[in-house]
């Protein structure tokens, strides 16, 4: 079949805003302000308003953002943070890098934090719980809040895949003490390089993150604690300001494309479509279906051979990654996350995806499912 369809099409998206982006980048280059300054501050204000939070602090990437959230929450090496086993590895890496302990838990069939699993794994050292709003929809934040309240825990959100998502009217990243988000290029709001942000409603928390991202300093050459160099680049801030203006429409286009996939796939009993939790506004960072385990790898390979950018998010859960061997888990310990890793397929999804392209993806999927 002709005409490859990528998982995400960043170039087509760039072409649609090229003139605006070039003008914004020129503005920064002309300004002579290349670290922090008005471009970053303006983006922080605009993004805070968009996300429904009081403070947005721009940082260098999403991993740093989550790490800064854990650091600013004051967690130390005795403190455990509950993290779902099916997430991008950075959710857990960031907790460890911040000096706290990762306590992995299984997830729901929607790839979200399983609060019952948190209760089952609860222990005296658990201090925080980190829902990850994976694939573009919020975890069950009411259940998370009730569990956290019962045990006196802080809620820290990983909102890297959920820009514009909300749950019962509250934006992703606006519910916990702090949230980290990522503007990695492939995210719903992506920069043209690495970028991220910390979100919070809490003045003191925001102030702490602002100091930590800037060598632990509020006053030049005074460093009361060990900080980072993790500042949002003004060039990226300018790009993000342009893209933020279009994000509402792009998220709507993603939802429309997801609805079309839902319709196209409705007659295929072997395909389990993604479910949107009641109360959620989903932004479909990814459209992830589940297939029978015996067929998944063959279907994936056939679709790739057809020129389709299908992928698995994520092929190995965090507890089976070498980086987390020291936690002592084995295959079988988190059965839902492990089954998901064997069943999931992410189909191409981006705002500019056409109906014809979607029909081609679905035709290829059907053909691969029925072959052999
Ligand atoms: C759920 C999640 N958390 C954290 C990150 C880390 O973000 P970054 O790649 O910007 O460091 C990502 C994305 O890459 C992510 O998807």
């Amino acid at each position: 079949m002709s005409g490859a369809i990528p998982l995400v099409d960043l170039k087509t998206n760039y072409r649609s805003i090229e003139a605006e982006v070039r003008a914004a980048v020129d503005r920064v280059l002309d300004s002579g302000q290349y670290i922090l300054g008005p471009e970053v501050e303006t983006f922080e204000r605009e993004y805070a308003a968009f996300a429904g939070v009081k403070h947005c602090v721009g940082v260098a990437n999403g991993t740093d953002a989550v790490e800064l959230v854990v650091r600013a929450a004051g967690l130390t090496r005795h403190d455990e943070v509950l993290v779902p086993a099916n997430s991008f590895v950075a959710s857990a890496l960031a907790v460890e890098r911040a000096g706290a302990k990762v306590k992995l838990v299984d997830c729901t069939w929607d790839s979200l934090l399983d609060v019952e699993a948190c209760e089952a794994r609860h222990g005296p050292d658990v201090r925080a719980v980190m829902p990850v709003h994976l694939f573009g929809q919020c975890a069950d934040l009411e259940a998370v809040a009730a569990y956290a309240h019962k045990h006196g825990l802080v809620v820290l959100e990983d909102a890297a895949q959920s820009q514009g998502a909300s749950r019962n009217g509250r934006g992703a990243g606006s519910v916990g003490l702090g949230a980290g988000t990522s503007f990695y290029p492939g995210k719903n709001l992506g920069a043209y390089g690495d970028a991220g942000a910390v979100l919070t409603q809490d003045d003191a928390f925001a102030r702490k993150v602002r100091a930590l991202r800037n060598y632990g300093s509020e006053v030049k050459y005074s460093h009361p604690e060990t900080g980072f160099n993790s500042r949002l680049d003004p060039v990226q801030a300018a790009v993000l300001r342009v893209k933020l203006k279009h994000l509402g429409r792009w998220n709507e286009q993603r939802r429309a494309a997801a609805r079309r996939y839902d319709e196209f796939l409705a007659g295929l009993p072997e395909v389990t479509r993604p479910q949107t939790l009641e109360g959620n506004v989903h932004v479909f960072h990814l459209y992830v279906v589940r297939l029978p385990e015996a067929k998944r790898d063959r279907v994936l390979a056939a679709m790739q051979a057809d020129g389709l950018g299908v992928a698995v998010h994520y092929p190995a859960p965090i507890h089976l990654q070498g980086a987390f061997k020291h936690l002592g888990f084995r295959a079988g310990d988190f059965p839902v996350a492990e089954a998901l890793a064997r069943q999931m397929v992410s189909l191409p999804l981006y705002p500019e995806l056409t109906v014809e392209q979607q029909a081609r993806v679905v035709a290829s999927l059907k053909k691969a499912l029925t072959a052999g």
Side-chain angles (χ1 to χ4, degrees):
M1 269 193 225
S2 63
I5 303 173
L7 183 68
V8 291
D9 188 349
L10 299 181
K11 257 183 162 171
T12 298
N13 185 261
Y14 171 60
R15 292 291 170 229
S16 74
I17 50 170
E18 184 175 351
E20 285 176 89
V21 169
R22 285 183 181 272
V25 170
D26 274 351
R27 185 174 68 229
V28 177
L29 298 181
D30 284 340
S31 76
Q33 174 87 43
Y34 304 134
I35 298 289
L36 295 175
E39 205 69 48
V40 172
E41 286 162 22
T42 308
F43 170 71
E44 289 177 339
R45 275 198 303 278
E46 291 170 351
Y47 193 74
F50 173 82
V53 294
K54 195 163 173 200
H55 303 279
C56 165
V57 184
V59 301
N61 57 67
T63 310
D64 281 4
V66 179
E67 182 177 351
L68 282 159
V69 162
V70 177
R71 275 284 301 276
L75 301 176
T76 64
R77 66 195 170 89
H78 303 293
D79 300 328
E80 292 177 341
V81 183
L82 292 162
V83 177
N86 183 37
S87 181
F88 182 55
V89 72
S91 307
L93 283 180
V95 171
E96 281 209 341
R97 278 188 12 183
K101 277 193 194 153
V102 174
K103 189 158 182 148
L104 293 169
V105 284
D106 210 347
C107 54
T108 67
W109 288 100
D110 300 308
S111 280
L112 298 167
L113 183 83
D114 182 343
V115 178
E116 282 177 24
C118 294
E119 278 286 9
R121 296 256 301 136
H122 191 78
D125 294 330
V126 175
R127 294 277 176 279
V129 54
M130 185 183 288
V132 181
H133 308 314
L134 208 68
F135 305 153
Q137 74 169 328
C138 291
D140 182 348
L141 285 163
E142 293 81 12
V144 172
Y147 162 70
H149 181 74
K150 178 174 160 195
H151 297 286
L153 313 178
V154 287
V155 177
L156 306 173
E157 296 172 75
D158 181 335
Q161 298 191 6
S162 52
Q163 286 117 11
S166 63
R167 177 165 181 79
N168 294 322
R170 298 172 78 184
S174 73
V175 174
L177 174 62
T181 193
S182 163
F183 305 122
Y184 180 87
K187 300 294 195 245
N188 284 33
L189 178 61
Y192 291 143
D194 276 312
V198 171
L199 312 175
T200 183
Q201 309 282 17
D202 186 287
D203 297 345
F205 191 91
R207 191 169 163 187
K208 183 142 194 181
V209 174
R210 280 188 196 287
L212 283 173
R213 76 166 172 184
N214 195 35
Y215 319 115
S217 168
E218 285 188 324
V219 175
K220 201 162 187 179
Y221 302 130
S222 166
H223 305 274
E225 63 181 320
T226 314
F228 300 50
N229 175 354
S230 182
R231 299 168 296 222
L232 176 62
D233 181 326
V235 172
Q236 299 303 343
V239 169
L240 289 167
R241 288 187 62 204
V242 170
K243 295 182 93 180
L244 183 57
K245 283 192 248 156
H246 302 279
L247 184 58
R249 177 172 51 87
W250 289 339
N251 281 344
E252 191 44 62
Q253 289 171 311
R254 286 173 180 273
R255 273 190 290 275
R259 282 195 297 272
R260 288 198 298 266
Y261 270 140
D262 282 347
E263 284 164 23
F264 285 153
L265 297 171
L268 299 178
E270 287 184 303
V271 180
T272 306
R273 289 164 285 153
Q275 299 300 311
T276 300
L277 261 56
E278 207 184 318
N280 272 1
V281 175
H282 201 316
V283 292
F284 290 96
H285 170 59
L286 290 168
Y287 186 93
V288 181
V289 298
R290 283 163 44 212
L291 304 180
E293 286 180 22
K295 293 191 173 181
R296 199 278 307 269
D297 287 348
R298 198 175 41 69
V299 170
L300 194 70
M303 293 181 78
Q304 285 165 344
D306 260 352
L308 304 177
V310 288
V312 177
H313 297 94
Y314 295 92
I318 295 174
H319 66 290
L320 302 181
Q321 296 284 354
F324 289 95
K325 216 169 33 198
H326 58 279
L327 297 180
F329 291 109
R330 281 186 290 182
D333 285 339
F334 296 126
V336 177
E338 291 170 34
L340 286 168
R342 294 188 297 265
Q343 297 173 7
M344 290 184 293
V345 176
S346 303
L347 303 183
L349 190 82
Y350 44 88
E352 300 80 7
L353 188 69
T354 65
V355 186
E356 294 71 29
Q357 287 175 314
Q358 289 189 271
R360 224 199 103 196
V361 172
V362 174
S364 173
L365 173 58
K366 265 190 200 164
K367 191 181 72 182
L369 274 172
T370 47

